[in-house]
Amino acid sequence: MPMMTVQYPPEALTPDLKDRLAEDLTQVILQIEGGADTPAGRSIAWVRFQPIARDDWYLGGRNDATFEAGAGRWLIELNVPEGSMNQDRKSDCHKAITNAILAITDKTNVDGAARSIWIQIFEWPEGHLATSGRTSSLLGIARIAGIPAEHPLLEFPRAYFDAKDRLYDLAEFPEKTAGRALVRY
């Protein structure tokens, strides 16, 4: 259940461009989820837009375009479940989001245009997300999205949580400690 927040100057996107970018970023999220372009997969693929006025957004101590690269200023915060992505997948995600913004701003072939596009990936610990009054988990979300249990995408999360369990066991953390996999799928 990745959730993305896109911060941008309001003049950077028309309603049509925002719709196009929302779909492009939803496709990135669906790929993170394992390609589950299903109603269930889409229902948990969230993109939020948060315009920030230029006079409230400073680069290098200035709110004008002095230090702004060609595509403009963008800050994308991507929240994902802990253990869902190895470093290669994170890097692929960084690239896909950057490419989507470069395409929407028509700066794909402009050298250096992406220098003021920043992407932050935040991982929420297992057991720290809930919906419908119930605690959610990475592997439980995968099940909801319709990702088969044997999907290769789940190899890393399983290895990650197995290693984390061994560490927690070695340090004698209690069984129900937050951060342990809540669902084995």
Side-chain angles (χ1 to χ4, degrees):
M1 159 147 209
M3 297 178 184
M4 193 178 302
T5 302
V6 179
Q7 296 176 338
Y8 66 101
E11 65 275 5
L13 293 175
T14 65
D16 288 343
L17 288 176
K18 188 188 295 185
D19 289 347
R20 281 184 31 211
L21 184 57
E23 179 57 29
D24 291 348
L25 296 176
T26 296
Q27 288 300 320
V28 172
I29 290 172
L30 292 172
Q31 287 307 307
I32 292 169
E33 292 177 346
D37 195 349
T38 63
R42 280 184 171 268
S43 75
I44 60 175
W46 292 23
V47 177
R48 298 179 309 159
F49 289 91
Q50 185 177 49
I52 298 179
R54 282 193 174 273
D55 61 347
D56 289 330
W57 195 338
Y58 288 74
L59 300 178
R62 301 178 63 111
N63 65 0
D64 58 19
T66 301
F67 300 110
E68 186 175 302
R73 58 186 82 183
W74 299 82
L75 176 60
I76 295 83
E77 296 178 355
L78 176 60
N79 291 273
V80 298
E82 169 190 16
S84 62
M85 298 178 11
N86 65 21
Q87 189 56 56
D88 288 341
R89 291 193 66 229
K90 289 176 184 177
S91 294
D92 290 345
C93 189
H94 291 142
K95 186 174 186 173
I97 292 169
T98 299
N99 287 342
I101 292 169
L102 288 174
I104 212 75
T105 59
D106 199 26
K107 301 294 182 189
T108 302
N109 295 318
V110 177
D111 195 36
R115 279 197 294 270
S116 52
I117 299 171
W118 286 88
I119 302 159
Q120 300 173 320
I121 297 178
F122 297 99
E123 294 182 271
W124 63 75
E126 182 81 347
H128 286 228
L129 181 71
T131 184
S132 304
R134 292 188 310 257
T135 304
S136 298
S137 69
L138 169 61
L139 297 173
I141 292 167
R143 184 184 297 151
I144 289 168
I147 298 172
E150 65 280 354
H151 195 289
L153 179 67
L154 299 178
E155 290 173 12
F156 178 79
R158 281 197 182 95
Y160 174 89
F161 283 113
D162 287 346
K164 193 170 182 185
D165 281 346
R166 288 191 303 275
L167 265 170
Y168 277 28
D169 290 345
L170 185 64
E172 299 181 2
F173 276 76
E175 190 61 35
K176 298 255 181 192
T177 300
R180 289 185 184 260
L182 298 174
V183 173
R184 301 294 175 164
Y185 174 52

